[in-house]
């Protein structure tokens, strides 16, 4: 398994609503075009999986470590088809004045409220053939951001 980490960045908006940051990956790489949290593979220089998540958040969306308060480490999850074990860290962030998107890795930064994710209009399903499947499989997904 390839070890990777993500930051699950959350913050309170001006009216107090809980907001979540997602990214849409650029078309480069294994997960090109996918919705994701900021994150990536562990580098040899990373001392821990948390270091990986913090480094990737800084590289991909420009959030420095001193603007992130880690609230929890979530259980690792293994991807179905690409061989990654993903370590997730829930972090409260200070919303920047302007996002600093790494254009090579990130096509879009999506800032949405949790209320938007529970809206039935954004949840959808598609039947597609996954790399490890012999028959199409229904896969749920969210329609959010500019490229819905």
């Amino acid at each position: 398994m390839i070890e990777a980490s993500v930051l699950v960045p959350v913050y309170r908006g001006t009216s107090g609503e809980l907001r979540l940051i997602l990214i849409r990956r650029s078309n480069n790489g294994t997960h090109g075009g996918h919705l994701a949290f900021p994150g990536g593979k562990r580098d040899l220089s990373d001392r821990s999986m948390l270091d990986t998540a913090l480094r990737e958040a800084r590289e991909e969306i420009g959030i420095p470590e001193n603007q992130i308060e880690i609230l929890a480490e979530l259980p690792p999850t293994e991807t179905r088809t690409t061989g990654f074990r993903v370590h997730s860290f829930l972090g409260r962030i200070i919303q920047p004045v302007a996002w600093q998107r790494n254009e090579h890795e990130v096509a879009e930064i999506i800032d949405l409220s949790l209320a938007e994710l529970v809206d039935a209009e954004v949840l959808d399903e598609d039947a597609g053939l996954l790399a490890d499947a012999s028959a199409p499989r229904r896969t749920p997904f969210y329609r959010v951001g500019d490229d819905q």
Side-chain angles (χ1 to χ4, degrees):
M1 291 253 113
I2 300 166
E3 298 294 326
S5 287
V6 298
L7 178 69
V8 181
V10 296
Y11 72 95
R12 294 271 175 200
T14 54
S15 62
E17 80 280 10
L18 191 57
R19 302 194 64 82
L20 176 70
I21 304 302
L22 295 172
I23 61 171
R24 183 177 317 280
R25 296 242 170 252
S26 66
N27 288 325
N28 306 315
T30 304
H31 300 110
H34 293 183
L35 282 182
F37 294 112
K41 294 182 215 176
R42 184 175 189 172
D43 281 355
L44 292 175
S45 61
D46 295 333
R47 295 177 316 236
S48 67
M49 298 313 297
L50 175 58
D51 281 351
T52 302
L54 295 172
R55 175 184 52 76
E56 289 284 349
R58 183 183 67 251
E59 290 175 2
E60 292 183 350
I61 62 173
I63 296 287
E65 187 175 334
N66 66 358
Q67 293 184 1
I68 302 169
E69 176 189 357
I70 298 301
L71 303 173
E73 179 176 357
L74 306 174
T77 304
E78 295 181 1
T79 61
R80 290 184 187 171
T81 60
T82 55
F84 283 81
R85 179 179 297 114
V86 182
H87 300 261
S88 302
F89 297 87
L90 178 64
R92 181 181 355 214
I93 64 167
I94 296 171
Q95 181 190 16
V97 173
W99 296 106
Q100 296 174 11
R101 177 175 63 91
N102 177 328
E103 293 181 12
H104 178 72
E105 296 186 37
V106 178
E108 178 183 8
I109 296 173
I110 304 167
D111 181 339
L112 44 87
S113 72
L114 287 188
E116 291 174 86
L117 284 179
V118 298
D119 183 347
E121 296 292 317
V122 300
L123 185 58
D124 208 343
E125 233 181 44
D126 187 27
L129 190 60
L130 298 175
D132 67 342
S134 58
R137 183 178 188 166
R138 301 226 39 97
T139 305
F141 66 93
Y142 292 97
R143 289 187 184 277
V144 296
D146 294 337
D147 191 26
Q148 298 182 34

